[in-house]
Amino acid sequence: MVFYFSGTGNSQLAAKHIAGIIDDEIISVNQCLKEKEKRTFCSERPLVFVAPVYAYRVPRVVQRWIRETKFEGCRKAYFVLTCGGSGGNAAAYAEKLCLEKGLEYQGLVSVLMPENYIALSAAPSASECAAIIERAKPVYSKLAGYIQNNEPFPVSPVSFGGRLLSGPLHILYYRLAIHDKGFTVSDTCISCGKCAQRCPLDNIDITDGRPVWNGNCTHCMACICGCPVNAIEYKSISKGKRRYYIMEE
């Protein structure tokens, strides 16, 4: 069973590619979060968790969902993280999470995908994005092979810098940056409501035809990158920057 959390579509694409090869069911964590009900999943095949790298770890919202969800059947758990740069020491924290949940940790691999974190960086050009995605597909196919064969993912060495990124920097970044105070909407807003529909945490209300953020944000970038008219900005950082959104509805 393949579970994915995705803001702009990278992890959704990865999950669909892997699920297609191993011929397994795919579950949207986004939808599970929006339903706000604790679920029980039973799978006789390994559990595969696909998500973006957030501050060099599995996103906290995904970790929390895994902790609150009951898994029956096969206990083997694989993690595939999409990222625009590095996964740091995310594997150590995913392994710790598995230990808490009684799951058999089978490894974590970070795969380079187009940058989508508009609150910090610009997305690559369309041609660059397409090239990055094509390079990632064989990697997903290889990872699917490990899952099919019930083999753990290869272990990659982690530098001291990677440990710092996933440790103190992760804590500091969440404390200082992961909030919705910087989001604004311009007069070009067409009141389509897609930002509210796509927010996995239901953090956006539409008031007088415009989005209002309510303080429960995970920085998935679904609202800002998915806006069809680029009406949403994050402080002054996102102005003039190319957005990236390939999420399938």
Side-chain angles (χ1 to χ4, degrees), residues 185-187 189-193 205-212:
V185 60
S186 72
D187 291 337
C189 174
I190 57 175
S191 303
C192 66
D205 291 331
I206 302 299
T207 303
D208 296 328
R210 297 163 70 86
V212 176

Side-chain angles (χ1 to χ4, degrees), residues 117 119 173-185 203-204 211-219 221 223-224 232-238:
Y117 193 41
Y173 193 78
Y174 258 89
R175 183 176 300 161
L176 298 179
I178 306 301
H179 51 70
D180 58 19
K181 295 178 182 177
F183 288 103
T184 58
V185 60
N203 182 50
I204 300 174
V212 176
W213 288 262
N214 295 312
N216 183 29
C217 181
T218 188
H219 270 210
M221 301 291 113
C223 61
I224 185 171
I232 298 173
E233 300 287 358
Y234 185 75
K235 301 180 181 179
S236 61
I237 301 171
S238 64

Side-chain angles (χ1 to χ4, degrees), residues 87-151:
N89 194 28
Y93 296 91
E95 185 172 10
K96 181 180 178 181
L97 175 63
C98 286
L99 184 63
E100 293 176 19
K101 282 292 294 183
L103 300 175
E104 298 176 24
Y105 176 71
Q106 297 295 300
L108 179 150
V109 174
S110 299
V111 182
L112 190 66
M113 286 288 279
E115 179 63 65
N116 66 350
Y117 193 41
I118 305 304
L120 187 64
S121 305
S125 68
S127 60
E128 289 174 317
C129 288
I132 293 170
I133 290 172
E134 286 305 308
R135 288 195 294 269
K137 288 179 179 178
V139 180
Y140 296 135
S141 298
K142 187 173 182 179
L143 297 178
Y146 285 107
I147 298 167
Q148 280 182 315
N149 295 326
N150 282 304
E151 298 175 355

Side-chain angles (χ1 to χ4, degrees), residues 9 11 15 17-18 32 61-63 71 78 89 137 143 154-155 166 180 184 187 220 225-226 234:
S11 295
H17 190 95
I18 293 170
C32 292
V61 64
V62 176
Q63 292 183 62
F71 302 97
Y78 294 84
N89 194 28
K137 288 179 179 178
L143 297 178
V155 177
S166 297
D180 58 19
T184 58
D187 291 337
C220 73
C225 286
Y234 185 75

Side-chain angles (χ1 to χ4, degrees), residues 43 64 106 159 174 202 237 241:
S43 176
R64 183 166 59 248
Q106 297 295 300
S159 67
Y174 258 89
D202 285 334
I237 301 171
K241 290 182 178 178

